[in-house]
Amino acid sequence: MDARPARQDHIATLDLLRLAAALAVVFFHYFFRGAAAEGALAEGYPSVAPFALYGYLGVNLFFLISGFVIAWSAEGRFWQEFAIARFVRLYPGYLLCMTITFVIVMAFGAPLFSTSLGQYAANLSMFAPALGQPFMDGVYWSILLELVFYGWVTLALLGGVFQKWKLGLIFVWLAISASNEFFIESRAARLLFITEFGPFFAAGVLVHHIHAHGRSLAALLLLGAAFLLSCSTLSVTQQWMINEYGIAVSQPHLVIANVAMHSLLIGAILLRSYVVPSTLTLALGGLTYPLYLLHQEIGYIAINAAAPLAGKWAAALGCIALMVLISWAIWKYFERPTQRRIKSWLSRALDAALARFRGNIATAR
């Protein structure tokens, strides 16, 4: 691994929490959804499926963590710095993983999976459904919501209101989310304002605000409101799972799981001094993004191919190990060097463009 020291402001416990969230989603797909979703896997895992069912909540935990990390990343930054940092964090890894998925599905996916050059071209944008094509892999839906969240934060930074009006903006966001989820039920609003998952992002932002600026009555009340609203919005996915699979986590268990997720985030921040940042923790956190992007359809194809030879358990566990290894290699040998180069180039290009724009404005005056 890289011998250079990790960033001193890095919170290693969040890397471990991200890894736990990613593995939860992997377990959900391999040990529950694979057999439940129209036979994506030839063999199921009924002995562990009732536990693997909870794994989809790893996505909700990701959104909680993202709220914290994005608020941290935006702290004291100009909008262009934030936007560039988010772009280079998401797009290079997405492009490579999406391309790998396309190639493997094209070569080995039939008869379960299929793809086309049109689908690949649409997925280059990260907004494939807007172009009339499905995502290359179903897990990409959550990346779209992350992009919407980043877009709103970028606009708040551009308007100079992210720090000044942060709590007020979160209050408005939670009010919109509650109104839409309880009364309006607009699908467009659910996407534009992320009303189903907004309370998780908002809770993460609020945990960061309390961590960075201290406790206040307003922040604590908003955090409580975000938690209570998230307990309610979890029922949206619950109903979808009942319709899709005929089974879902019960509402009391969802509330308990939600308490656990929020506690894990807060605990990771409170216990940050007990886990020293290192190249290992940085790698464990870094590999989670390619792992999330790669594991589902490629994993189904690999497990179906290996199970007749090695048995279904060895196939699934071996696939998890292989996916972790490949994801680590992508993070280390592709994402990190590519991100540094693209970030440097984009920063120079944007600075030059902004300088020209300001020069033209000054000339016009």
Side-chain angles (χ1 to χ4, degrees):
M1 288 189 179
D2 198 331
R4 290 174 295 182
R7 285 171 42 197
Q8 293 305 305
D9 63 345
H10 201 72
I11 300 180
T13 48
L14 288 183
D15 287 327
L16 301 181
L17 198 55
R18 268 196 293 256
L19 179 63
L23 289 175
V25 176
V26 172
F27 273 73
F28 169 75
H29 285 138
Y30 289 1
F31 297 112
F32 173 77
R33 187 181 185 276
E38 300 179 355
L41 287 182
E43 294 189 71
Y45 300 84
S47 61
V48 296
F51 307 99
L53 173 63
Y54 289 80
Y56 79 92
L57 293 170
V59 177
N60 300 74
L61 181 54
F62 267 129
F63 291 156
L64 264 174
I65 299 168
S66 182
F68 182 95
V69 172
I70 294 309
W72 187 15
S73 177
E75 189 92 5
R77 268 186 168 168
F78 295 111
W79 71 267
Q80 61 267 33
E81 294 175 312
F82 174 82
I84 290 173
R86 290 299 94 201
F87 175 81
V88 301
R89 176 68 184 90
L90 284 190
Y91 194 74
Y94 167 85
L95 178 60
L96 178 61
C97 292
M98 190 271 290
T99 301
I100 291 172
T101 300
F102 169 72
V103 171
I104 291 179
V105 170
M106 180 70 81
F108 307 107
L112 284 176
F113 306 110
S114 62
T115 187
S116 66
L117 287 173
Q119 185 184 10
Y120 177 78
N123 273 264
L124 291 173
S125 71
M126 301 183 81
F127 297 93
L131 301 175
Q133 291 285 349
F135 290 120
M136 187 62 65
D137 191 298
V139 300
Y140 294 179
W141 68 269
S142 64
I143 307 301
L144 177 60
L145 298 191
E146 291 273 357
L147 288 170
V148 175
F149 176 51
Y150 298 170
W152 283 115
V153 174
T154 302
L155 287 175
L157 289 170
L158 177 61
V161 299
F162 183 77
Q163 295 301 334
K164 294 178 182 178
W165 298 350
K166 185 191 301 176
L167 297 185
L169 291 171
I170 290 176
F171 174 81
V172 172
W173 188 12
L174 293 177
I176 292 172
S177 297
S179 299
N180 191 59
E181 294 302 318
F182 296 151
F183 305 110
I184 303 171
E185 298 182 350
S186 165
R187 294 181 63 184
R190 182 169 281 173
L191 175 60
L192 182 60
F193 297 107
I194 331 174
T195 59
E196 180 184 349
F197 298 100
F200 290 94
F201 287 111
V205 173
L206 289 163
V207 170
H208 174 266
H209 181 83
I210 294 169
H211 165 69
H213 304 288
R215 285 173 291 182
S216 68
L217 180 59
L220 291 172
L221 287 174
L222 284 171
L223 180 57
F227 169 75
L228 291 175
L229 185 54
S230 68
C231 287
S232 177
T233 59
L234 280 170
S235 63
V236 178
T237 307
Q238 178 195 45
Q239 188 58 52
W240 178 86
M241 291 189 69
I242 290 173
N243 295 337
E244 191 78 6
Y245 308 123
I247 188 174
V249 179
S250 68
Q251 190 64 31
H253 286 183
L254 283 176
V255 173
I256 293 171
N258 203 21
V259 171
M261 287 188 289
H262 283 74
S263 299
L264 283 170
L265 175 62
I266 294 170
I269 306 308
L270 294 176
L271 300 175
R272 62 192 181 279
S273 60
Y274 291 91
V275 181
V276 179
S278 66
T279 52
L280 175 61
T281 59
L282 196 64
L284 292 176
L287 67 82
T288 58
Y289 182 51
L291 176 62
Y292 183 79
L293 293 173
L294 282 175
H295 77 274
Q296 186 174 215
E297 291 195 5
I298 294 176
Y300 292 156
I301 293 168
I303 292 170
N304 281 331
L309 303 174
K312 67 179 185 180
W313 285 100
L317 295 175
C319 185
I320 292 172
L322 181 61
M323 286 292 176
V324 169
L325 180 62
I326 292 171
S327 299
W328 169 79
I330 289 173
W331 169 79
K332 179 176 173 61
Y333 295 109
F334 176 78
E335 279 196 299
R336 296 191 77 191
T338 302
Q339 286 169 358
R340 284 193 291 267
R341 286 194 292 268
I342 294 177
K343 186 175 183 179
S344 176
W345 180 82
L346 283 177
S347 296
R348 291 196 304 268
L350 186 56
D351 286 344
L354 289 174
R356 285 196 299 270
F357 176 75
R358 294 186 188 107
N360 291 337
I361 294 295
T363 302
R365 288 177 180 174

